Amino acid sequence: MRGLSACLLFVLALLSSGPLWAVNPDERLDNPALEERAREISKGIRCVVCQNQDIDSSNAELARDLRLLIRERLVEGDSNDQVESYLVARYGDYVLLKPPFKASTLLLWLGPFLLLLLGGIASAFYLRRRAAGVEEAATPAPLSAEERAKVQRILDQGGPG
């Protein structure tokens, strides 16, 4: 009985996961072609109040408003590019999940590679210094004149004992 209850709870938890039903039936357009275009556009638009989630799978109120806005623009006859341009004009490039490659987004595109390069350079310097330190530790320091004289006295006497 416990196993059945656990399975039932698991299934309910899976069914209650929100993103699967983010687009409500009342938002959908009657025209399947326009609805398909709206879904396609929505998958490329970032929910500005969520953590890097598209508005198609977001349950946020703002995401719903944006989905409705996209559908309104499509019904008015806008192309997909015109709808995206309209959203970019209102919210900036941040609203796109895949922002364009241009001067203002250069750091966004190249930042990860720069960080990787800097990390590689820092690792190379660290490993090089560490290898030099190991080599230095393996080579004994030369004896001072006093130490050499002491060793010579010990050897002349026939050993330490």
Side-chain angles (χ1 to χ4, degrees), residues 1-14:
M1 187 67 178
R2 280 186 164 185
L4 181 62
S5 296
C7 284
L8 185 60
L9 283 175
F10 180 72
V11 169
L12 285 174
L14 283 178

Side-chain angles (χ1 to χ4, degrees), residues 7-115:
C7 284
L8 185 60
L9 283 175
F10 180 72
V11 169
L12 285 174
L14 283 178
L15 292 175
S16 66
S17 60
L20 294 175
W21 293 285
V23 178
N24 296 324
D26 63 329
E27 298 176 23
R28 294 177 192 244
L29 296 172
D30 293 334
N31 183 336
L34 285 180
E35 179 61 27
E36 181 67 29
R37 287 176 53 202
R39 298 292 302 263
E40 180 184 324
I41 294 169
S42 296
K43 290 177 183 172
I45 302 297
R46 179 189 318 270
C47 175
V48 293
V49 294
C50 303
Q51 290 279 330
N52 204 23
Q53 187 177 15
D54 62 72
I55 62 170
D56 194 59
S57 60
S58 173
N59 287 325
E61 282 297 316
L62 184 59
R64 175 184 160 77
D65 293 344
L66 289 174
R67 287 192 302 264
L68 292 173
L69 179 67
I70 288 171
R71 283 166 174 78
E72 286 174 13
R73 303 291 300 189
L74 288 175
V75 168
E76 290 175 7
D78 284 1
S79 68
N80 292 10
D81 290 337
Q82 287 173 322
V83 172
E84 283 185 10
S85 296
Y86 179 79
L87 292 172
V88 168
R90 290 183 82 181
Y91 298 101
D93 288 327
Y94 178 75
V95 77
L96 299 174
L97 279 174
K98 190 176 180 182
F101 188 80
K102 59 186 185 181
S104 63
T105 60
L106 195 62
L107 189 59
L108 180 69
W109 282 98
L110 299 179
F113 298 110
L114 289 174
L115 287 176

